[in-house]
Amino acid sequence: MLITKTRLLHVRALSARATCGYLVVGHIRFPCRLGRTGLSHRKSEGDGATPIGAFRLKRLYYRPGSVNPSKNLFAARPLRSDDGWCDDTTSFSYNRWVRLPFAPSHEKLTRTDHLYDVVITTDHNQCPRVRGAGSAIFFHLTGDKPFTQGCVAVGAADMRKILSLCAAHTSLVIWAPGAATPPARRRSPIPP
């Protein structure tokens, strides 16, 4: 079966509280993990929910050897030890890449648990940013927990397959359970 490149990665779950679901590319389904509190229309910082909506995949960061960046269409670069992501709602850099060391609260993108060996940022809560409406909503690899902190995650082998099927300007479409129509692209989140 010939699979054409896609601009949409569809994420579905059986219920709003589900921490596992599936990601669909064309006619191929991949198991995925979702936030520890399931899905939400009203994402807020630290709630553990995966936001419902359509979000463009932006930049790929990778640990060398984990993926071949020349085969995908995202802005890509290897992870560096000074890569971080600000999750401090009081910081001007909230929900942005930051260079470490960085005093306000942040996530380090180089991790020992391999979750971010391949990590793609999304445009969730980017333009404009709403303080407290959620940060660091990424598409990354699964770990040993049956959930994420609000991201969408797949296994390493599945990630390589998914990336090979992506076209330019690919979006991650996270559906509300039971919805018949896809969610609209959300330029600005609903304030908490």
Side-chain angles (χ1 to χ4, degrees):
M1 175 188 336
L2 178 66
I3 300 291
T4 58
K5 300 283 186 175
T6 184
R7 289 186 180 201
L8 299 175
L9 306 177
H10 296 278
V11 176
R12 297 270 198 169
L14 293 178
S15 75
R17 303 290 293 163
T19 60
C20 294
Y22 52 92
L23 185 146
V24 180
V25 182
H27 297 292
I28 305 173
R29 289 169 57 151
F30 300 92
C32 69
R33 295 191 185 152
L34 305 169
R36 64 181 160 74
T37 61
L39 302 171
S40 176
H41 285 284
R42 294 180 59 88
K43 173 71 183 158
S44 61
E45 189 66 41
D47 67 0
T50 300
I52 293 168
F55 309 103
R56 185 161 293 146
L57 298 179
K58 300 295 283 179
R59 178 177 286 274
L60 166 68
Y61 296 94
Y62 62 95
R63 189 179 306 268
S66 60
V67 70
N68 184 351
S70 65
K71 291 187 176 182
N72 67 63
L73 301 168
F74 305 104
R77 78 163 173 77
L79 282 165
R80 299 186 311 229
S81 61
D82 63 351
D83 285 328
W85 199 270
C86 178
D87 58 12
D88 185 334
T89 59
T90 64
S91 172
F92 179 75
S93 297
Y94 176 63
N95 199 27
R96 295 281 191 262
W97 174 89
V98 293
R99 177 163 291 165
L100 305 179
F102 184 74
S105 179
H106 63 275
E107 252 192 273
K108 188 171 179 152
L109 296 185
T110 52
R111 299 172 58 125
T112 58
D113 61 10
H114 303 289
L115 289 181
Y116 291 173
D117 281 6
V118 179
V119 59
I120 305 170
T121 63
T122 71
D123 69 353
H124 172 265
N125 195 22
Q126 289 283 314
C127 188
R129 284 177 292 166
V130 175
R131 292 184 192 275
S135 65
I137 301 302
F138 301 148
F139 180 37
H140 63 78
L141 303 180
T142 55
D144 58 355
K145 293 183 180 172
F147 55 82
T148 70
Q149 293 303 316
C151 301
V152 175
V154 296
D158 289 345
M159 178 67 84
R160 285 189 290 276
K161 290 176 194 170
I162 292 164
L163 290 178
S164 73
L165 298 171
C166 288
H169 310 296
T170 298
S171 290
L172 193 61
V173 181
I174 304 165
W175 290 66
T181 58
R185 180 152 160 64
R186 299 221 346 238
R187 302 286 302 156
S188 176
I190 300 166

